[in-house]
Amino acid sequence: MDDISYDKLLRIKTTGRDDTNADRYHFPYEPTPYPVLERLANSGYLKKANTLIDYGCGKGRVDFFLSYQTRCRSIGIEYDRRIFETVKSNTLTAASSGRCSFFCENAEDFELPPEADRFYFFNPFSVELLGKVLKRVRESFYDVPRELYFFFYYPSNEYISFLLDFNDLELVDEINCGDLFEGENPREKIMIFQMK
């Protein structure tokens, strides 16, 4: 199924890239391709009992799709107020909107609910902001120990270096997505980390 067909099925509008408010800390909105989300949904890492936080959720594609496919709860965080208006509109029509909630705030300021145990990133912001977000997640983990998994789609070399050096994170798996697209792009993967 292509993007338009999936958007129709889910009763949302998430296509198109948006660079309007991108800067050196916040990267452009670009939706994760649906075939990549299918791989993640079928990986076994997300189930009905899980709560996913999608950092840099944009128009909500990851949240609506994964909640629809796996029945997990999802929380989308988006700093761009203009893009956030689209996710609010999508919430009114989305097939899985009852399992999704969204917040318009900076990722590093978002206070994690104790049930949050899965985290999704598609290069939403700089490594500097990523570090602040991961420290906040680690504090939550120390307060309420639980099994935490992190999904990093299409990670940059800068992200990979940072993640491999970050205390308490361990690389546990990788979902190869290279066969979904033309060319041999080594970034077409989801790296999965666990907090120890």
Side-chain angles (χ1 to χ4, degrees), residues 37 41 46 52 62-72:
L37 293 177
L46 275 166
L52 172 79
V62 168
D63 309 271
F64 294 123
F65 179 84
L66 291 175
S67 291
Y68 181 82
Q69 290 285 54
T70 71
R71 311 303 295 152
C72 74

Side-chain angles (χ1 to χ4, degrees), residues 26 54-56 77-79 104-112 121 124-125 129-130 132-133 136:
H26 304 92
D54 174 18
Y55 286 104
I77 312 301
E78 178 56 51
Y79 88 102
C104 188
E105 64 181 279
N106 291 324
E108 66 272 24
D109 298 329
F110 181 70
E111 193 163 326
L112 279 78
F121 302 83
F125 34 64
L129 291 183
L130 176 62
K132 290 178 180 179
V133 167
R136 190 172 266 277

